């Protein structure tokens, strides 16, 4: 596959993007979408590397207002498209899709996708409307780009499962693949929001991964999940976290499980100061 040294080509016009995608497909190439909100870090670049391995890598950059609650960080969410494009050029992405708000939500826009069940617990319980905003924007991005495959980080595991549900329920015919979380050397999952952490909070933050790893180990053989989770919450709260949830859940339905009987995931969300961290591990 030959690649332009000027990659990625930036598209803000949907027709132009679709023409490029159609040309790649006509040439027999697979098109892989990596949806992002920008503020790209090494975790995103791992998604781009995986996309390139499979086909043409199209990266969308759009800070989606509809997935933020009124008291959340939409206005301070880091935005630097030029720096993102420079990172994508280094990573060898083929195209960047950078729509503006008017393109995504033109006047009269009135459709929202609601996913029941999966979105009710975990992050859904603390971020009302969040997954509806995510499901709607991801559906739009998939319809706009029409990729063969879309890649999502497993760090937002509930998001990944919600998107899988939407794509299956609406017969969207795109393959959704999860990509394992990239971590700092001390275990902290990479996130655009890590830059909000003060030095003291950054020093405490890896405790979240350590606690999840300990719980995953403790429950793997079929032990009850309640006690290790309660101990994990106590440890995190003592270290300065405000824990929203910490639970062992079925990996597909995300329903809490009392004992492991199949593929499961230990998941948590906790705030350190003003920064909300999420993480999860397979059990
Ligand atoms: O995970 C994200 O960055 C966002 O939720 C996504 C999938 C790009 C939708 O805005």
């Amino acid at each position: 596959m030959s690649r332009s040294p000027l990659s990625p080509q930036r598209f803000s016009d949907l027709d132009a993007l679709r023409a490029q995608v159609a040309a790649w497909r006509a040439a027999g190439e697979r098109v892989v979408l990596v949806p992002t909100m920008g503020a790209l870090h090494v975790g995103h670049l791992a998604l781009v590397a995986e996309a390139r391995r499979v086909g043409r890598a199209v990266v969308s950059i759009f800070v989606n207002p509809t997935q933020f609650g009124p008291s959340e960080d939409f206005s301070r969410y880091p935005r630097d498209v030029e720096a993102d494009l420079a990172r994508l050029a280094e990573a060898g992405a083929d195209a960047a899709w950078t729509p503006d708000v008017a393109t995504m939500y033109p006047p009269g826009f009135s459709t929202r996708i609601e996913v029941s069940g999966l979105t009710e617990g975990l992050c859904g319980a603390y971020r009302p409307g969040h997954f509806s905003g995510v499901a709607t924007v991801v559906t739009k991005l998939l319809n706009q780009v029409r990729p063969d495959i879309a890649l999502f980080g497993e760090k937002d595991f509930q998001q990944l499962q919600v998107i899988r549900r939407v794509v299956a329920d609406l017969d969207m015919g795109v393959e959704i693949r999860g990509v394992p979380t990239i971590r700092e050397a001390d275990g902290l999952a990479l996130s655009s929001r890590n830059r909000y952490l003060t030095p003291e909070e950054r020093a405490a933050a890896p405790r979240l991964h350590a606690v999840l790893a300990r719980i995953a180990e403790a429950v793997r053989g079929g032990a009850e999940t309640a006690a290790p989770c309660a101990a994990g919450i106590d440890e995190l709260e003592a270290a300065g976290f405000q824990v929203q949830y910490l639970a062992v859940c079925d990996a597909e339905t995300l329903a809490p499980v009392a004992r492991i009987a199949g593929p499961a995931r230990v998941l948590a969300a906790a705030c350190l100061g003003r920064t909300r961290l999420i993480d999860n591990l397979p059990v």
Side-chain angles (χ1 to χ4, degrees), residues 222-263:
E224 283 209 352
T225 59
C229 287
I233 292 172
D234 287 347
E235 178 178 338
L236 289 170
E237 300 262 344
F241 288 81
Q242 287 167 288
V243 179
Q244 292 187 339
Y245 64 80
L246 197 175
V248 181
C249 297
D250 179 276
E252 200 172 321
T253 65
L254 300 184
V257 294
R259 287 178 196 275
I260 304 297

Side-chain angles (χ1 to χ4, degrees), residues 33 35 37 64 66-68 104-105 109 111-116 118-119 127 129-144 152 158-170 172 174 176:
L33 174 64
M37 296 204 299
N64 174 36
T66 70
Q67 68 187 76
F68 290 81
M104 296 303 279
Y105 303 114
F109 186 91
T111 301
R112 275 183 87 87
I113 295 187
E114 296 285 350
V115 180
S116 55
L118 266 180
T119 60
R127 305 188 69 189
H130 169 69
F131 286 117
S132 171
V134 169
T136 306
V137 80
V138 170
T139 300
K140 277 189 69 91
L141 291 167
L142 293 173
N143 286 338
Q144 289 167 337
F152 294 85
Q158 189 174 15
Q159 166 173 282
L160 173 62
Q161 295 306 77
V162 168
I163 291 163
R164 287 199 163 119
R165 187 78 262 154
V166 171
V167 164
D169 288 355
L170 301 183
M172 290 170 67
V174 52
I176 302 298

Side-chain angles (χ1 to χ4, degrees), residues 52-68:
R52 287 193 55 188
R53 209 181 53 75
V54 177
R56 291 289 183 174
V58 179
V59 180
S60 63
I61 300 177
F62 179 65
V63 185
N64 174 36
T66 70
Q67 68 187 76
F68 290 81

